[in-house]
Amino acid sequence: MSDRSSDRTWSLGRTHPRGRPSRPPGRIAEPWGRRTPYGAGEQWPERVDSFLAGGLAAAEVDQWFPTASNLHSNGDAMELAVRDGRLVGVRGVAEDRVNRGRLDVKDLYGWQAIASPDRLTRPLLREDGVLREAGWDTAMARITDRARALLDGPGPASIGFYTSGQLFLEEYYALALIARAGLGTKHLDGNTRLCTATAAEALKESFGCDGQPGSYSDIDHADTIALFGHNMAETQGVLWSRVLDRVAGPDPPVLLCVDPRPGPVSEAATIHLQPRPGTNLALMNGLLHEVIAQGWTDPDYIEAHVTGFDRLERQVAAFPAEAAAEATGIPAEQIRSAARLLGQAGRLLSTVLQGFYQSHQATAAAVQVNNLHLIRGMLGKPGCGVLQMNGQPTAQNTRECGADGDLPGFRNWANARHIEELAKIWRVTPDRIPHDGPPTHLMEMIRLAEEGSLRMLWVSGTNPAVSLPELERIRAVLGQDRLFLVVQDLFPTETTALADVVLPAAGWGEKTGTFTNADRTVHLSLKAVDPPGEARPDLDVFLDFARRMDLRDTAGRPLVPWREPEEVFEAWKECSRGRPCDYSGLTYALLREHGGIQWPCTVEHPRGTERLYTRGDFRSRPSDCESYGRDLLTGTPLDEAAYRALNPDGKAVLRTAPYVPPPEQPDADYPLWLTTGRTLFHFHTRTRTGRVPELQAAAPDMWIEVSEADASAAGVREGDLAEVSTRRGAVRARARITGIREGVLFLPFHYGYWDTGTADGHRRAANELTPTDWDPASKQPLFKTGAARLRLIEHRPGPPPPAGPVTPRDTA
Ligand SMILES: Nc1nc2c(c(=O)[nH]1)N[C@H]1C(S)=C(S)[C@@H](COP(=O)(O)OP(=O)(O)OC[C@H]3O[C@@H](n4cnc5c(=O)[nH]c(N)nc54)[C@H](O)[C@@H]3O)O[C@H]1N2
Ligand SMILES: Nc1nc2c(c(=O)[nH]1)N[C@H]1C(S)=C(S)[C@@H](COP(=O)(O)OP(=O)(O)OC[C@H]3O[C@@H](n4cnc5c(=O)[nH]c(N)nc54)[C@H](O)[C@@H]3O)O[C@H]1N2
Ligand SMILES: [Mo]
């Protein structure tokens, strides 16, 4: 089979004004690099990628420091090159299991952002409405004074923390201890709520506990790879290289792509299903109907390891391919072909990401992918894995350390024994850890701030004024006088602009810690250079806060006794011992010597564990599980009795839900679907990639992706300035006509305002348009569905600015 993705001229050239593309530099033009084909069961060949600034030679580098990529969740092992105390480049680590030396295009160039001249270097305090520089002592005193006053007054429920998927494990664990047992608030969540809350919930619902069953090495063995709402080519570039290398080798796997948009993934796929946004559950029910009806199941595996088959069979009975076709807009024949591909696969690997996670029945749809693997007995064997993907580099750690709406070590808030265990580890009484209901999710925290019962919000490592839905509302909530807003970041952002206190953080490369990728691989990241000015590691800031607040354990000793990241890591190992995410066999020294290691890593498994559930041994016993689950349709938590009734005693559970259409659908006023997402060259709100010349030049400004038919209906031509509006707001950008499904518009969500001025005047951020709504089970917001309209603002000559690999209308 030919390698269709590496040698095609993708359409950056197409958008160039004068016919022939002018080739952009290096890997911008060749995002996945050169192919290194390999066959099923073989080891993925090495290919070491490197980029050194200013044509420097490797011999001119003073020292190399180990780390892993921090602009996605792939966990590609890399080294930072330092010369004269400055970062000068990067190279991949050939020996590492994750990337075998390869680096994604964003990682090759992205490190340059940390040396950007506009880094935050001193704390800022708001005085008379204006942010002014101050010393750390003054800034921390301002924070602790406010925290104490609130604790003495309305109490801990008036304080909340909103953190990240981009700090380090040690930072999350310290923060979880401070917030939960120190202050006693349950208002602590991560931006993982927007990102992988559904991955976590889907794993809990099916297997009783979070924890990625599969491994990236499943790509080496699979004969069929299905990508459900996952644009892997643009969002996990090195993983995609691995797929492309299998596709280019002998006995290549076949690919299934489920995405309303065409792109590099659909171009490499045998079957491309283009559902209407928000109809994933209908599609999955249709696929499962067909798999069951054709007898493509594994009755022995089901009998031994799975419960709830009858329920699933009943649920999908009403969804033959015709019914699924009606709901999704995909022809029934295509649904049948896809079901055959999935049903007859010998070794099936599935990946799931935001096309499924950011919609109204996110958990219910993601769980059906688990169900597919369970009824086919395709789990825990080489080539048979589910990757309920993560997005951010350290999202896994936010979840396992309990810095989101979970408790550390995947403990169950509703299980009194788990609370006692945690209290013992933290040397406090169980009542110090709030557990009278599920921990507060972010969208609820925003509502509490809006109402005025949340009075202090400490934001670290996230930019909610661009990344949350319905920005007009978010700006109003975060900008209120009565909310004391602390924001800790590397750069001035749309969110720091609203803060009362801004704390300058040291970032990746400037601090030491560990983090874990989407397939449970832990890497050590060493400090390579000093942070600028007075910027400090987030860990130091949190520990300083704990000391100043004089947080104590039951015996009166300091509750948070640590000073160095390695001490926190050692403490975390104890907290994780015996839990699914067991780190007890890891040390900094081992990670340094060996590179990436997959948890659980214990005395029995000193080099980690490649796949979970290899013997169908799920962590679902009521005494052990992380969650008793939720009703997938309403989100209501199940109690222990309801959970026991599902009979999950060590078995996986087939959870189901009926399909309901998305809450907001196109109508006469707003006739189009709007969906949003990512593109190759930028990371999120561009605070880093927007400061990197190579990446910013490759995709400098916002655009609107629209089909030929929808564009011409609105009188819009390629490159024209157009407006997309929804019931929440309007944005303007130039149109790019692509092979996107008719009736659907796509906007990248990367473009906010830090580099163009304020949000006043013409707005461009995609989240001006998105609704305040979330999946009832995972509480993940709906960034992928909504009703919109398109209108021409003015004709503009020439094409829109470049954007990366957009599939043109003529090849879709
Ligand atoms: N280049 C780049 N890479 C990144 C990031 C980045 O910002 N830039 N961010 C990282 C993070 S945090 C994350 S979470 C991941 C996200 O990685 P992905 O999930 O791959 O990225 P998205 O673009 O958000 O969404 C994936 C696809 O879902 C499709 N989609 C939209 N609506 C639907 C639908 O209703 N059904 C289906 N089946 N598909 C739909 C979109 O067309 C899109 O192509 O990427 C990580 N990697
Ligand atoms: N419309 C729409 N909206 C979306 C999405 C979508 O697909 N569509 N996707 C959602 C998803 S999956 C995600 S993950 C979110 C991402 O949303 P955000 O988390 O808001 O995105 P980032 O731009 O990565 O913001 C991270 C911030 O942390 C800072 N930072 C980086 N490293 C450090 C550090 O070590 N310490 C500190 N203190 N700060 C640091 C960066 O400078 C940056 O300002 O967006 C969500 N919003
Ligand atoms: Mo994400």
Side-chain angles (χ1 to χ4, degrees), residues 231 234-235 259 261 278 280 354 678-679 682 684 784:
N231 182 7
E234 297 192 59
T235 60
D259 192 315
R261 289 192 308 151
N280 297 308
Q354 301 308 352
R678 309 171 152 67
T679 60
H682 283 301
H684 296 171
K784 298 273 191 272

Side-chain angles (χ1 to χ4, degrees), residues 42-384:
E42 292 172 11
Q43 191 178 54
W44 191 24
E46 289 176 5
R47 185 193 85 193
V48 175
D49 297 343
S50 177
F51 172 65
L52 294 174
L56 218 62
E60 296 172 275
V61 171
D62 296 338
Q63 218 180 333
W64 297 90
F65 294 86
T67 182
S69 46
N70 81 333
L71 294 168
H72 49 79
S73 64
N74 213 52
D76 302 322
M78 60 202 271
E79 292 174 305
L80 298 175
V82 174
R83 183 181 157 89
D84 300 331
R86 288 188 316 114
L87 213 52
V88 292
V90 291
R91 75 174 172 208
V93 177
E95 298 76 29
D96 201 273
R97 62 170 300 277
V98 170
N99 54 326
R100 314 259 311 139
R102 289 161 193 77
L103 291 179
D104 179 52
V105 57
K106 287 188 300 305
D107 298 313
L108 279 173
Y109 304 112
W111 54 272
Q112 301 173 89
I114 77 169
S116 181
D118 60 347
R119 282 283 299 272
L120 293 167
T121 55
R122 295 202 74 200
L124 306 173
L125 291 186
R126 192 168 296 278
E127 306 284 357
D128 307 321
V130 184
L131 285 171
R132 298 182 207 283
E133 289 195 355
W136 272 99
D137 228 26
T138 319
M140 291 307 288
R142 177 78 59 98
I143 295 170
T144 48
D145 285 352
R146 182 59 69 107
R148 272 200 207 92
L150 287 169
L151 289 175
D152 292 345
S158 59
I159 303 177
F161 295 85
Y162 179 39
T163 191
S164 186
Q166 301 172 39
L167 309 186
F168 290 161
L169 176 151
E170 294 77 1
E171 296 171 327
Y172 300 131
Y173 186 54
L175 182 60
L177 172 56
I178 290 167
R180 298 198 191 286
L183 303 190
T185 175
K186 58 179 191 178
H187 307 326
L188 163 62
D189 201 0
N191 66 355
T192 47
R193 185 63 58 189
L194 321 178
C195 183
T196 56
T198 302
E201 191 62 31
L203 294 169
K204 290 184 230 178
E205 296 293 343
S206 298
F207 311 126
C209 192
D210 196 343
Q212 194 68 267
S215 171
Y216 291 167
S217 55
D218 287 329
I219 293 173
D220 309 346
H221 303 276
D223 58 31
T224 307
I225 302 177
L227 295 97
F228 294 98
H230 181 192
N231 182 7
M232 189 195 283
E234 297 192 59
T235 60
Q236 316 281 346
V238 170
L239 206 59
W240 183 242
S241 296
R242 198 162 181 159
V243 172
L244 289 179
D245 285 347
R246 274 295 317 278
V247 168
D251 43 69
V254 292
L255 307 189
L256 167 69
C257 169
V258 183
D259 192 315
R261 289 192 308 151
V265 174
S266 69
E267 283 168 35
T270 306
I271 299 182
H272 179 202
L273 304 180
Q274 293 187 266
R276 283 187 200 110
T279 62
N280 297 308
L281 181 60
L283 173 64
M284 292 310 300
N285 283 347
L287 292 170
L288 288 169
H289 174 103
E290 197 63 17
V291 168
I292 293 174
Q294 299 293 338
W296 290 320
T297 56
D298 181 342
D300 294 341
Y301 188 90
I302 296 174
E303 172 67 29
H305 305 299
V306 180
T307 154
F309 185 72
D310 296 349
R311 201 173 41 236
L312 178 67
E313 206 172 12
R314 275 198 309 278
Q315 185 67 69
V316 303
F319 260 90
E322 283 67 26
E326 166 92 31
T328 59
I330 302 169
E333 234 1 86
Q334 278 188 28
I335 296 177
R336 284 211 181 82
S337 306
R340 189 171 315 116
L341 194 126
L342 298 169
Q344 299 190 335
R347 290 166 189 265
L348 172 66
L349 171 67
S350 296
T351 75
V352 193
L353 203 45
Q354 301 308 352
F356 269 45
Y357 294 169
Q358 293 173 337
S359 50
H360 71 296
Q361 291 194 295
T363 306
V367 154
Q368 302 317 312
V369 180
N370 298 342
N371 290 353
L372 171 68
H373 283 257
L374 288 168
I375 64 173
R376 295 225 53 227
M378 298 241 163
L379 216 57
K381 294 183 288 196
C384 302

Side-chain angles (χ1 to χ4, degrees), residues 335-651:
I335 296 177
R336 284 211 181 82
S337 306
R340 189 171 315 116
L341 194 126
L342 298 169
Q344 299 190 335
R347 290 166 189 265
L348 172 66
L349 171 67
S350 296
T351 75
V352 193
L353 203 45
Q354 301 308 352
F356 269 45
Y357 294 169
Q358 293 173 337
S359 50
H360 71 296
Q361 291 194 295
T363 306
V367 154
Q368 302 317 312
V369 180
N370 298 342
N371 290 353
L372 171 68
H373 283 257
L374 288 168
I375 64 173
R376 295 225 53 227
M378 298 241 163
L379 216 57
K381 294 183 288 196
C384 302
V386 180
L387 293 168
Q388 296 283 356
M389 287 296 297
N390 295 342
Q392 295 175 86
T394 77
Q396 187 62 48
N397 309 106
T398 315
R399 273 148 54 188
E400 63 205 17
C401 293
D404 63 345
D406 294 307
L407 292 180
F410 299 151
R411 288 182 172 81
N412 183 353
W413 62 266
N415 180 335
R417 258 208 30 229
H418 284 194
I419 303 288
E420 280 160 27
E421 218 172 74
L422 192 59
K424 207 166 144 209
I425 294 165
W426 284 349
R427 308 178 320 274
V428 297
T429 48
D431 61 314
R432 290 264 302 263
I433 305 169
H435 61 277
D436 55 332
T440 321
H441 65 90
L442 172 74
M443 299 305 286
E444 176 69 6
M445 276 163 56
I446 296 291
R447 196 183 63 81
L448 294 172
E450 188 170 39
E451 280 176 8
S453 65
L454 194 82
R455 292 297 178 125
M456 168 173 167
L457 182 64
W458 187 334
V459 173
S460 50
T462 181
N463 188 12
V466 183
S467 57
L468 286 184
E470 207 179 343
L471 289 180
E472 186 76 58
R473 168 176 179 253
I474 296 301
R475 284 186 291 263
V477 173
L478 298 181
Q480 296 171 97
D481 282 343
R482 65 182 176 186
L483 179 72
F484 182 70
L485 182 69
V486 180
V487 181
Q488 190 164 310
D489 204 293
L490 311 178
F491 298 102
T493 66
E494 295 82 348
T495 309
T496 61
L498 301 169
D500 297 289
V501 179
V502 177
L503 300 177
W508 170 90
E510 299 166 342
K511 61 185 181 182
T512 289
T514 52
F515 57 99
T516 307
N517 77 350
D519 87 337
R520 295 174 279 105
T521 308
V522 187
H523 285 107
L524 176 66
S525 181
L526 287 187
K527 175 179 171 180
V529 294
D530 287 325
E534 296 173 24
R536 281 192 193 171
D538 298 273
L539 180 64
D540 292 8
V541 180
F542 295 146
L543 296 180
D544 186 31
F545 175 71
R547 275 192 299 272
R548 287 170 187 262
M549 292 298 289
D550 197 27
L551 304 176
R552 301 272 163 176
D553 67 14
T554 309
R557 289 166 302 190
L559 178 72
V560 192
W562 314 304
R563 305 215 161 241
E564 296 297 326
E566 194 165 358
E567 291 171 67
V568 187
F569 187 77
E570 289 299 316
W572 161 248
K573 280 163 57 179
E574 287 318 306
C575 185
S576 73
R577 188 185 290 278
R579 296 299 298 156
C581 50
D582 195 327
Y583 281 66
S584 59
L586 289 173
T587 60
Y588 273 22
L590 180 63
L591 289 169
R592 203 173 172 154
E593 175 200 333
H594 191 270
I597 296 180
Q598 287 171 290
W599 64 245
C601 176
T602 58
V603 177
E604 300 82 55
H605 301 283
R607 289 293 176 272
T609 309
E610 192 166 23
R611 291 181 187 83
L612 302 184
Y613 315 135
T614 49
R615 293 184 307 278
D617 42 350
F618 298 98
R619 300 294 298 248
S620 58
R621 293 200 163 72
S623 59
D624 191 30
C625 69
E626 181 181 6
S627 160
Y628 298 138
R630 292 172 182 273
D631 182 286
L632 299 186
L633 201 55
T634 64
T636 312
L638 306 185
D639 62 12
E640 190 183 340
Y643 182 69
R644 282 184 187 277
L646 295 171
N647 189 28
D649 210 25
K651 291 186 175 183

